[in-house]
């Protein structure tokens, strides 16, 4: 197996995986059944980042093509992320547990129930607005309106692109946890917005704090050096 690009969900970094970090095994179902021959591919990837080295495990079900006494991997039918259990990202910032929990559950539910996933995402977005911006509780749309003009213009554009997206805009008028019909694409869009806002708000704040601390350390050292010279 040659090298290929891969995104680690544990350290949230783009990586290049080579042969030794990748192991896969194949199980073929050849017994006569209602669906036809099937191939399951189980795959391990070990993150090459020396500070991470976490294993990821996934399974993929394919059609099995049998020609004579040879068999081939056919069309992909379904994939399952096993470890980590969903496509949820990890973030390099402290985010309140109830917000992360809603986000992780929204990611877990997306395949089985986009409707439940979107409801969790709306509650998560509302939780972020109340925690990070201390907005007054209201409809999600109203809560977003309260931070207009306060949030970074590019962040507001990301929010607007989801708000203006037809049905989602209307759905945001309702209370966060209400269950409404949702397409898988809409549910994914809400998860994408949560990820953007966590990075812009929580990760951004932590990075600004770190830079400030670095500056203070430098200026503090400068002051100490000057004191030593005198
Ligand atoms: Zn990693």
């Amino acid at each position: 197996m040659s090298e290929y690009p891969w995104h680690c969900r544990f350290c949230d970094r783009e990586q290049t995986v080579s042969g030794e970090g990748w192991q896969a095994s194949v199980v073929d179902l050849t017994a006569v059944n209602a669906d036809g021959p099937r191939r399951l591919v189980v795959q391990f990837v070990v993150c090459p980042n020396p500070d991470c080295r976490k294993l990821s495990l996934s399974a993929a079900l394919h059609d099995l093509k049998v020609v004579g006494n040879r068999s081939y991997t056919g069309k992909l039918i379904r994939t399952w992320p096993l470890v980590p259990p969903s496509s949820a990202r990890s973030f390099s910032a402290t985010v309140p547990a109830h917000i992360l929990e809603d986000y992780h559950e929204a990611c877990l539910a997306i395949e089985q129930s986009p409707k439940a996933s979107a409801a969790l995402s709306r509650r998560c977005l509302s939780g972020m607005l109340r925690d990070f911006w201390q907005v007054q509780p209201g409809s999600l749309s109203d809560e977003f309106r309260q931070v207009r003009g306060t949030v970074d213009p590019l962040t507001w554009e990301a929010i607007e692109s989801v708000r203006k997206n037809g049905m989602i805009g209307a759905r945001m008028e309702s209370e966060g946890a209400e269950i409404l019909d949702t397409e898988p694409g809409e549910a994914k869009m809400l998860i994408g917005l949560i990820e953007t806002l966590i990075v812009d708000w929580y990760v951004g704040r932590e990075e600004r704090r770190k830079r400030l601390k670095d500056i203070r350390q430098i200026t503090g050292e400068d002051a100490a050096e000057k004191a030593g010279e005198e």
Side-chain angles (χ1 to χ4, degrees):
M1 171 117 198
S2 55
E3 293 188 336
Y4 71 100
W6 176 77
H7 186 92
C8 176
R9 295 282 169 192
F10 290 102
C11 62
D12 202 29
R13 291 207 190 148
E14 299 301 331
Q15 302 287 334
T16 303
V17 175
S18 60
E20 63 195 52
W22 178 87
Q23 271 178 272
S25 199
V26 163
V27 183
D28 289 343
L29 173 72
T30 51
V32 175
N33 71 87
D35 298 316
R38 290 287 184 265
R39 168 167 286 182
L40 183 72
V41 181
V42 180
Q43 174 182 277
F44 279 108
V45 177
V46 176
C47 179
N49 173 6
D51 296 327
C52 176
R53 306 296 286 174
K54 297 284 280 182
L55 73 86
S56 292
L57 173 63
S58 63
L61 186 67
H62 296 260
D63 261 336
L64 177 65
K65 300 277 175 224
V66 184
V67 182
N69 56 2
R70 300 193 65 173
S71 54
Y72 305 90
T73 305
K75 190 169 69 87
L76 177 67
I77 297 165
R78 213 194 138 169
T79 56
W80 293 268
L82 298 170
V83 179
S86 79
S87 59
R89 287 172 54 178
S90 52
F91 298 97
S92 60
T94 311
V95 180
H98 68 283
I99 291 169
L100 277 185
E101 203 173 291
D102 281 348
Y103 165 66
H104 280 276
E105 286 182 15
C107 291
L108 273 174
I110 199 151
E111 296 296 334
Q112 302 289 337
S113 172
K115 208 192 275 189
S117 171
L120 285 158
S121 285
R122 278 191 287 267
R123 194 172 74 172
C124 181
L125 288 166
S126 176
M128 288 165 70
L129 285 158
R130 291 176 196 189
D131 171 70
F132 199 89
W133 296 104
Q134 277 96 46
V135 300
Q136 293 301 312
S139 71
L140 185 58
S141 191
D142 178 52
E143 291 178 1
F144 268 123
R145 260 195 292 271
Q146 292 177 48
V147 301
R148 186 181 190 165
T150 311
V151 299
D152 179 87
L154 283 174
T155 306
W156 185 254
E157 253 180 62
I159 295 165
E160 279 295 275
S161 70
V162 176
R163 270 162 63 100
K164 283 180 183 164
N165 193 276
M167 298 293 283
I168 283 194
R171 280 162 195 197
M172 280 198 172
E173 297 294 339
S174 57
E175 283 293 328
E178 195 176 328
I179 308 286
L180 296 156
D181 283 340
T182 310
E183 298 294 325
E186 294 173 334
K188 283 204 175 92
M189 212 180 286
L190 287 170
I191 285 177
L193 181 61
I194 293 170
E195 291 170 346
T196 300
L197 297 183
I198 289 179
V199 171
D200 285 3
W201 297 348
Y202 291 94
V203 177
R205 178 172 67 185
E206 207 134 299
E207 284 172 356
R208 285 195 299 278
R209 277 181 184 159
K210 195 180 167 294
R211 280 199 297 275
L212 179 64
K213 201 177 150 208
D214 290 348
I215 287 167
R216 278 186 177 151
Q217 261 172 3
I218 291 165
T219 53
E221 277 169 18
D222 283 349
E225 274 171 21
K226 273 180 192 151
E229 282 165 16
E230 280 165 10

